[in-house]
Amino acid sequence: MGMVEAVMQPAKQSNWNLPNILTSLRILFIPVFAWLVLSERWWWAFGLFVALMITDKLDGDIARARGLITDFGKIADPIADKALMIAALVTLNIAGPLPVWVTVVIVARELGITVWRMLMLRHGKVVPASKGGKLKTALQSLAVGMYLCPLPAWMDTPTFVVMLVAVAVTVVTGMQYLIDAGKVNK
């Protein structure tokens, strides 16, 4: 490669930046979060879950605002998101308050759509997150937060209803991704 070509190519973004550090910390703290849930330290688990969800929002906002989007971030951020949600659901199943079928439905959708998006990417098609996907994430986070927060017993039914809404939106948005993909590929 000649000197002119080297100058014309944009510099590759370093992986050592604040958004990627936040994402990495989120991944590192998932086992701590799981331990807190399994040992039923509810307030601590709730606080750490909230902190991890805030870092999820922050890392994306900072990366976009400062132009710090990296290949590492594109891969690690969704992995951190899925790992945290799956850890939360599975540990809530083990600790007892969450029915297993909820986890099965959500995890099947999350992993299924993730695998499908990766396959689409291999064929050169990027499937961006949808507004419905953002609503799904918000509802799942709210429902998990409600399960983690030691609420009075009368809140059990409203908490379960929020989780049912999260499951419904999770299923509907998963189907919508596939329907939209079918339209695009025709």
Side-chain angles (χ1 to χ4, degrees):
M1 177 182 323
M3 180 71 131
V4 173
E5 291 163 336
V7 171
M8 304 244 342
Q9 289 195 350
K12 188 168 172 108
Q13 189 63 250
S14 169
N15 285 326
W16 289 99
N17 60 49
L18 182 57
N20 288 347
I21 291 169
L22 291 173
T23 298
S24 299
L25 285 173
R26 202 160 73 245
I27 292 169
L28 291 173
F29 273 95
I30 291 171
V32 175
F33 166 76
W35 175 79
L36 290 169
V37 175
L38 294 174
S39 60
E40 298 184 12
R41 290 174 166 82
W42 297 114
W43 280 115
W44 287 101
F46 173 75
L48 185 54
F49 182 76
V50 169
L52 294 174
M53 294 309 295
I54 289 170
T55 64
D56 179 33
K57 175 81 171 112
L58 277 177
D59 67 14
D61 290 350
I62 293 168
R64 284 184 292 279
R66 296 186 182 173
L68 298 173
I69 296 169
T70 63
D71 290 341
F72 174 84
K74 289 178 191 175
I75 294 167
D77 187 64
I79 289 171
D81 297 345
K82 304 285 187 265
L84 176 59
M85 191 54 63
I86 291 169
L89 295 169
V90 169
T91 57
L92 284 168
N93 292 142
I94 294 168
L98 184 67
V100 172
W101 70 265
V102 168
T103 300
V104 170
V105 169
I106 291 175
V107 170
R109 184 273 194 201
E110 295 296 337
L111 296 180
I113 293 297
T114 299
V115 168
W116 171 73
R117 287 170 96 175
M118 289 186 338
L119 290 172
M120 295 299 287
L121 193 57
R122 284 186 148 204
H123 296 296
K125 297 177 183 169
V126 175
V127 181
S130 66
K131 288 181 183 174
K134 293 179 190 299
L135 174 63
K136 171 218 46 124
T137 300
L139 285 169
Q140 286 178 2
S141 300
L142 174 62
V144 166
M146 290 175 75
Y147 271 96
L148 292 171
C149 190
L151 298 170
W154 64 267
M155 283 296 294
D156 289 353
T157 299
T159 298
F160 185 62
V161 168
V162 171
M163 183 58 81
L164 289 178
V165 172
V167 169
V169 170
T170 298
V171 170
V172 168
T173 58
M175 292 186 328
Q176 191 62 49
Y177 270 124
L178 299 177
I179 291 166
D180 291 347
K183 289 177 186 174
V184 168
N185 289 327
K186 281 187 178 180

